[in-house]
Amino acid sequence: MNRQWVLPAPETPSIPKKPVLMSAGLTAFVTLSFGLLSGLAEAAKSEGCEGGGFSVVLPGGTVSGATAMEVPASTLGTSFLVQGKFVVFEVDAATLGVRNYALTAAPNPQDMTGGIPTTIFASKAPDLQGVSLNGNLTLEIDGTDVLLARSGPGVSMKIQAKDCAQGGIFQMEPERADGATTDFTHVLADGVFYFDNPNFTNPPPLPLCTAPNFTPQCYPVPVTPRVNFANDLSPKFVGRDSPQVATRISQFGGVSVWRVASGGRMGGVLGEDSVEVAPPATSCVKNCQAQNRVRGRFPVLGFPFPVPDASRLTPRLP
């Protein structure tokens, strides 16, 4: 079956931002507060994060524990490793693009891998239109959270991640002085594939309801098509790309391309949160507040395993 999707997927919850002026001549703002990772924390169940925590392996040594520092550009090298208990990935220093984003399969009640180390993305690459990030690296580590930010001529990039077995645990954010968009290309690792989730195409009978802020009221929730990714090895392994203020440009079986507004973001959601029915967050790119986030209890529709061949998007590559 030959399908190339261009429908926008549901969006990730917004994270409030506190502006902090960046260096390298760029008038841009990045979040430099541990508390501002709370939007990711809400989507990652606490038991799935127990014992987690990142170390950042730089050419000059390893940084771990509670940290807030600037790493000089001259010491970064071409790439570095972000190593957690549950999550590990490589970062390209010149773009803050990500390679070999993987779950380690460390024991955890929320493990989705069945004990099989699983590389999810071969790469998540932003197109910075020929610009290289050349400023110092802002690095913050706090508990299970890590924040990485770097700027270059007219552009900045930021990564926020959590070291958890599942949930909303990763996002990348571009910011451009000219206000232009940034294209992101996501390439899945071998054995991982995108699919049109049939549970969202043929949902169970309505009403599907949500109880905002855990109150007893019930409100109907619309069910729209959902593209997830999975594999053939782990029955619990499932995830989705999760955009905010972004448009899907193309969708293949192993590659997706997204056009992200300056100040928007591309997130990654794993596990139950990726197969729940939830309305999108608002279109917020500056000074986002709590009301911009999705809150409440939402129906979880799951996904079929193994994924039927008819639901898998083809061709795999452009």
Side-chain angles (χ1 to χ4, degrees), residues 122-169:
S123 62
K124 296 186 176 193
D127 180 2
L128 301 186
Q129 302 176 35
V131 174
S132 292
L133 306 178
N134 57 9
N136 296 339
L137 176 73
T138 296
L139 167 61
E140 298 190 6
I141 302 173
D142 181 50
T144 60
D145 304 333
V146 68
L147 181 148
L148 305 164
R150 196 180 188 198
S151 65
V155 65
S156 69
M157 282 289 300
K158 178 173 60 176
I159 292 173
Q160 295 181 89
K162 292 188 70 67
D163 186 27
C164 304
Q166 63 169 279
I169 60 176

Side-chain angles (χ1 to χ4, degrees), residues 40 54 81-82 84 86-91 97-104 112 117-124 146 159-172 186-190 192 229 237 239-241 267-270:
L40 293 176
F54 285 110
L81 184 70
V82 179
F86 307 111
V87 174
V88 61
F89 56 93
E90 302 168 24
V91 179
V98 166
R99 296 188 292 265
N100 299 318
Y101 182 92
L103 296 174
T104 66
M112 303 184 303
T118 301
T119 302
I120 303 173
F121 289 95
S123 62
K124 296 186 176 193
V146 68
I159 292 173
Q160 295 181 89
K162 292 188 70 67
D163 186 27
C164 304
Q166 63 169 279
I169 60 176
F170 183 88
Q171 66 184 31
M172 304 173 73
H186 291 181
V187 180
L188 294 176
D190 291 344
V192 183
F229 53 77
F237 171 72
R240 68 179 175 93
D241 295 331
V269 181
L270 301 177

Side-chain angles (χ1 to χ4, degrees), residues 196-209 221-226 275-277 299-302:
D196 172 15
N197 191 332
N199 292 5
F200 285 76
T201 305
N202 299 294
L206 297 177
L208 292 172
C209 294
V221 178
V223 180
T224 57
R226 174 72 54 86
V275 287
E276 72 176 6
V277 179
V300 176
L301 299 188

Side-chain angles (χ1 to χ4, degrees), residues 11-15 37-49 110 112 145 162 164-171 214 240 242 267-276 278 293-296 298:
E11 299 174 340
T12 48
S14 300
I15 297 177
L37 286 163
S38 60
L40 293 176
E42 289 177 355
K45 298 177 177 63
S46 58
E47 65 180 354
C49 309
Q110 296 294 321
M112 303 184 303
D145 304 333
K162 292 188 70 67
C164 304
Q166 63 169 279
I169 60 176
F170 183 88
Q171 66 184 31
F214 302 95
R240 68 179 175 93
S242 183
V269 181
L270 301 177
E272 183 177 284
D273 291 349
S274 73
V275 287
E276 72 176 6
R293 301 185 209 152
V294 176
R295 294 180 180 274
F298 302 101

